[in-house]
Amino acid sequence: TRTPVNVTVTGAAGQIGYALLFRIASGHLLGPDVPVNLRLLEIPQGLKAAEGTAMELDDCAFPLLRNIEITDDANVGFAGANVALLVGARPRTKGMERGDLLSANGGIFKPQGKAINDNAADDIKVLVVGNPANTNALIAQAAAPDVPAERFTAMTRLDHNRAISQLAAKTGAAVSDIKKLTIWGNHSATQYPDIFHAEIAGKNAAELVNDEAWLGDTFIPTVAKRGAAIIEARGASSAASAANAAIDHVHTWVNGTAAGDWTSMGIPSDGSYGVPEGIISSFPVTTENGTYKIVQGLDINEFSRARIDASVKELTEERDAVRELGLI
Ligand code: NAX
């Protein structure tokens, strides 16, 4: 039998946490033959609810779930962690400026990055879900100098999945026929869902759609503003779909992309496609044996260039702001 993998989830008592933990414990994160230990990290006010969730996890009698530990101490929460899902964050509240938001989240992600640095397993993989996800990941990464920078990633897989679904609806294609879609940039309203290299049953998606007005006026804003539309309809922000995307992100990272396809991940830039080195930006990536590679050599047309640049500009501004705040 395999050694259990230690999976840490922060914000475990929140709504994404509730949708996420049962799927991790049932084997959807890592695979149907991989036992897991769960570490639930919460703030003191969240501990009791996390204990309730742990009771329900017990009651599922998941064959793959070995043990559950609940803590408000990051050093304990990340001890021996192989996978860390950083979900808990400080949301933007009314009247909050970007600087306030970034410094409040710096107060969470800087100490968590240090706790990962000091306590996690050597093969630690980190996914930041809590917003602003890309810059929170940058803060955590900067606080973990002993962990290879590429282990810190931010979630744009929900945007990726949303874009596939919108494209399937527009073209009448099956979701499973859509490949090579890309989310570029920030997980924010400036993100750029790119269909120019996407394929639908082997044919170029942009050529099939052949409707630049739909692309600019409908597709891109629908994907970018989907989070707000969910809040409007549901009265609460995306939870199950966000948890599903976190599962997809880690599963793909660990188990690889399919031949002839790629995925989107927020990762530290190596300078590819003119994205400044070091910022955590979304790219098309392939994965194999637990590592990822940026897909190289894609032609970037003018339409795409302008949108990638706009999102990257927002990321460099966020980076400059957290640098000024002494968070990186
Ligand atoms: P909830 O408010 O339901 O849950 C957050 C939980 O985090 C709470 O239980 C809180 O006690 C806990 N928490 C706060 N600070 C913590 C800390 N320092 N350590 C440990 N736990 C802490 O939010 P939820 O709906 O679950 O969303 C979580 C985050 O995901 C938010 O930042 C949200 O903006 C972000 N999202 C990111 C998405 C993405 O695609 N990257 C999409 C979905 C979601 O909006």
Side-chain angles (χ1 to χ4, degrees):
T1 54
R2 294 184 54 166
T3 347
V5 174
N6 298 322
V7 181
T8 303
V9 178
T10 77
Q15 53 153 5
I16 294 176
Y18 192 74
L20 185 58
L21 291 165
F22 297 86
R23 295 193 60 200
I24 299 172
S26 62
H28 289 91
L29 187 76
L30 298 164
D33 55 346
V34 186
V36 292
N37 296 318
L38 282 173
R39 304 279 177 266
L40 315 188
L41 181 63
E42 259 293 347
I43 50 177
Q45 307 89 285
L47 288 175
K48 188 149 182 268
E51 278 160 20
T53 304
M55 288 162 69
E56 284 200 75
L57 284 160
D58 286 342
D59 294 349
C60 294
F62 287 119
L64 291 173
L65 180 57
R66 292 301 149 82
N67 65 53
I68 309 173
E69 205 167 310
I70 303 163
T71 181
D72 61 1
D73 179 342
N75 288 320
V76 175
F78 293 115
N82 305 107
V83 176
L85 304 173
L86 309 191
V87 180
R90 175 72 162 78
R92 189 190 285 261
T93 40
K94 255 210 173 81
M96 213 177 185
E97 300 292 334
R98 180 167 69 180
D100 304 331
L101 180 74
L102 293 173
S103 73
N105 278 292
I108 296 173
F109 287 87
K110 193 173 176 178
Q112 287 185 357
K114 178 161 187 349
I116 288 169
N117 188 70
D118 297 349
N119 300 282
D122 287 345
D123 67 349
I124 178 71
K125 288 181 167 63
V126 182
L127 168 61
V128 176
V129 175
N131 282 320
N134 299 53
T135 297
N136 287 341
L138 181 65
I139 293 168
Q141 182 245 300
D146 303 330
V147 178
E150 72 268 15
R151 307 287 187 76
F152 285 84
T153 67
M155 188 165 94
T156 53
R157 186 62 172 265
L158 179 54
D159 308 305
H160 181 96
N161 289 344
R162 285 168 171 167
I164 288 178
S165 165
Q166 292 298 323
L167 187 57
K170 164 78 174 170
T171 58
V175 158
S176 55
D177 282 337
I178 300 181
K179 315 274 186 228
K180 300 186 176 176
L181 189 126
T182 306
I183 303 293
W184 298 93
N186 200 0
H187 168 68
S188 76
T190 67
Q191 67 174 268
Y192 172 49
D194 176 359
I195 69 165
F196 285 100
H197 305 97
E199 293 171 3
I200 302 178
K203 296 204 177 71
N204 181 273
E207 284 167 21
L208 267 179
V209 168
N210 193 23
D211 185 350
E212 205 161 287
W214 175 78
L215 207 56
D217 303 339
T218 303
F219 175 71
I220 295 171
T222 299
V223 174
K225 294 180 193 158
R226 186 69 168 178
I230 299 287
I231 293 173
E232 181 64 31
R234 210 173 79 86
S237 58
S238 320
S241 57
N244 177 70
I247 296 273
D248 283 352
H249 177 112
V250 173
H251 190 274
T252 302
W253 189 358
V254 171
N255 294 301
T257 39
D261 200 4
W262 65 60
T263 190
S264 304
M265 289 170 70
I267 57 169
S269 175
D270 64 356
S272 294
Y273 296 103
V275 179
E277 199 176 333
I279 63 168
I280 299 204
S281 190
S282 188
F283 285 96
V285 300
T286 54
T287 59
E288 195 181 3
N289 299 323
T291 62
Y292 57 79
K293 263 202 232 116
I294 297 175
V295 176
Q296 296 295 340
L298 300 177
D299 255 344
I300 306 297
N301 63 20
E302 239 170 86
F303 183 96
S304 296
R305 188 72 260 167
R307 284 165 177 80
I308 295 170
D309 288 349
S311 195
V312 163
K313 178 165 176 282
E314 182 183 48
L315 282 171
T316 55
E317 287 168 3
E318 289 182 14
R319 178 204 56 199
D320 294 347
V322 294
R323 194 177 271 161
E324 214 157 284
L325 290 163
L327 294 170
I328 61 169

